[in-house]
Amino acid sequence: MINRLTLVGEINGEVRYSKTTHNDEMCYFTLRTWHRWFDPGQKRHSTKSENHLVVTVRTDLVDIIRRRVTMAGLIFIEGSLSSITDLTEGSDPTRQTAAVIIHRDGQMRFLGAETKDAAADAEAG
């Protein structure tokens, strides 16, 4: 079975950084996606947005996110759908939530204005 998910959206809220139990750096954030369609019954366009939890423990991507998050516009994410323990403070530690996990074979690209840093990040990601 193939578990691959591709999303394009914007970071919604702040990016949080923490350490894994093996002392590896990780980050997680909410990615807001949306779709728009024409509703013939109401004779107007409608839009729906959804939030997705994105998590990565890849050190190269954590570094890129740390450097570029303030410049972020649209972001392309390729990862896998997984169930993880809820990461928010004060939540029930047994609660599971669906998340997009960016593993070794996953990708992340910042879309938008090309800069020298963006070109270097594209090579790394």
Side-chain angles (χ1 to χ4, degrees), residues 114-121:
E114 189 69 25
T115 64
K116 183 178 171 186
D117 285 346
D121 291 345

Side-chain angles (χ1 to χ4, degrees), residues 14 22 105-106:
E14 68 179 280
H22 299 291
D105 58 343

Side-chain angles (χ1 to χ4, degrees), residues 102-122:
I102 308 173
H103 293 295
R104 280 181 300 159
D105 58 343
Q107 297 183 48
M108 183 189 74
R109 299 275 191 263
F110 287 87
L111 307 176
E114 189 69 25
T115 64
K116 183 178 171 186
D117 285 346
D121 291 345

Side-chain angles (χ1 to χ4, degrees), residues 19-30:
K19 299 272 186 180
T20 66
T21 55
H22 299 291
N23 212 26
D24 295 324
E25 210 172 9
M26 68 176 285
C27 74
Y28 56 99
F29 56 90
T30 302

